[in-house]
Amino acid sequence: MEFITFAESTLNLLGFVVGLILGIFAYIGFRNTGSPTLFRLNISFFSIGIGFGVVGFGYLFESLVLGYTRIDTWIQTLGIGIQTVGYFFIAFSHGIKSFFPKSRYFKSIIAPLFIIPANSIEHIIRSISFILLVYGTIETILSYMENRKRSTIFVAAGLGLLALGEFLGWYSIVFPKSVLYFISVSTKIVGLGALFVPISQVPLRGGVKFGNNL
């Protein structure tokens, strides 16, 4: 098993564990409070964790069992797609109003993400993930400006790091031989870790500010 494949598998499996832990805490909070937002976050974190797991276990299976030296790209695309479902539920927890931003200046920034040579499904999925996470980050920052709660800072930081991770992941496809992929996955794991701080308080306090709905 090549070192690069081992490192990719390890990082994704770590993301799998962190995502499941967050999902468990969100589920406990939902059981205690009955909050629909926590139920959506429960689905979100489990989806993100499963997405990491698909990539991590897929890499291990193809490398150790099948003996492949190059991992099939469809595994990566499937894992990213499942994660995107989780990001959608995070954005939905903010009461998402529209998928694409109305500002033409913001559109000019994100449009190049969809217009690159040899476009693929993974490019588009990562672009969608980036938009959803940026939306969630902006909404959380606006929420913090209204309530000034410390837990909201961790949510904004977590979503922002997830967005940065997806952005770097998009560039890792454009530059496949760089270290951007490792930085991307590591950044996303750190983002999940930041989200763990407020989510872990839910079972203890019965609630935490996540957007305007909880």
Side-chain angles (χ1 to χ4, degrees), residues 75-141:
I75 295 179
Q76 179 81 9
T77 302
L78 177 62
I80 294 299
I82 297 175
Q83 291 179 42
T84 302
V85 174
Y87 300 146
F88 170 79
F89 277 99
I90 288 180
F92 189 78
S93 295
H94 286 279
I96 189 168
K97 304 175 184 64
S98 60
F99 184 77
F100 287 98
K102 295 181 179 180
S103 172
R104 62 180 180 179
Y105 300 105
F106 193 38
K107 287 180 179 180
S108 65
I109 296 175
I110 65 175
L113 292 173
F114 294 91
I115 308 174
I116 60 174
N119 213 336
S120 66
I121 296 178
E122 185 177 349
H123 293 132
I124 298 175
I125 291 176
R126 285 190 181 275
S127 301
I128 294 173
S129 298
F130 175 74
I131 295 172
L132 291 173
L133 290 168
V134 168
Y135 175 88
T137 303
I138 294 174
E139 288 294 318
T140 305
I141 292 175

Side-chain angles (χ1 to χ4, degrees), residues 138-153:
I138 294 174
E139 288 294 318
T140 305
I141 292 175
L142 294 176
S143 176
Y144 171 75
M145 295 175 65
E146 294 177 0
N147 56 65
R148 299 294 179 177
K149 289 190 176 182
R150 186 175 301 177
S151 60
T152 313
I153 299 177

Side-chain angles (χ1 to χ4, degrees), residues 6-187:
F6 174 77
E8 291 177 348
S9 302
T10 302
L11 284 175
N12 281 284
L13 291 178
L14 178 60
F16 168 71
V17 173
V18 175
L20 289 187
I21 292 175
L22 278 168
I24 291 172
F25 272 92
Y27 177 75
I28 295 174
F30 166 70
R31 289 290 300 271
N32 291 340
T33 64
S35 168
T37 302
L38 278 175
F39 178 72
R40 289 191 291 267
L41 292 178
N42 168 50
I43 298 176
S44 172
F45 292 129
F46 274 126
S47 296
I48 295 173
I50 292 172
F52 275 112
V54 167
V55 177
F57 287 113
Y59 278 15
L60 286 178
F61 178 80
E62 290 203 346
S63 179
L64 297 178
V65 178
L66 301 181
Y68 290 177
T69 56
R70 295 186 61 184
I71 306 301
D72 291 334
T73 56
W74 68 268
I75 295 179
Q76 179 81 9
T77 302
L78 177 62
I80 294 299
I82 297 175
Q83 291 179 42
T84 302
V85 174
Y87 300 146
F88 170 79
F89 277 99
I90 288 180
F92 189 78
S93 295
H94 286 279
I96 189 168
K97 304 175 184 64
S98 60
F99 184 77
F100 287 98
K102 295 181 179 180
S103 172
R104 62 180 180 179
Y105 300 105
F106 193 38
K107 287 180 179 180
S108 65
I109 296 175
I110 65 175
L113 292 173
F114 294 91
I115 308 174
I116 60 174
N119 213 336
S120 66
I121 296 178
E122 185 177 349
H123 293 132
I124 298 175
I125 291 176
R126 285 190 181 275
S127 301
I128 294 173
S129 298
F130 175 74
I131 295 172
L132 291 173
L133 290 168
V134 168
Y135 175 88
T137 303
I138 294 174
E139 288 294 318
T140 305
I141 292 175
L142 294 176
S143 176
Y144 171 75
M145 295 175 65
E146 294 177 0
N147 56 65
R148 299 294 179 177
K149 289 190 176 182
R150 186 175 301 177
S151 60
T152 313
I153 299 177
F154 288 97
V155 176
L159 296 180
L161 288 170
L162 286 172
L164 177 60
E166 285 300 331
F167 183 77
L168 294 175
W170 181 87
Y171 267 102
S172 71
I173 305 174
V174 181
F175 305 102
K177 295 184 179 180
S178 65
V179 297
L180 287 175
Y181 178 79
F182 300 99
I183 299 176
S184 168
V185 178
S186 300
T187 303

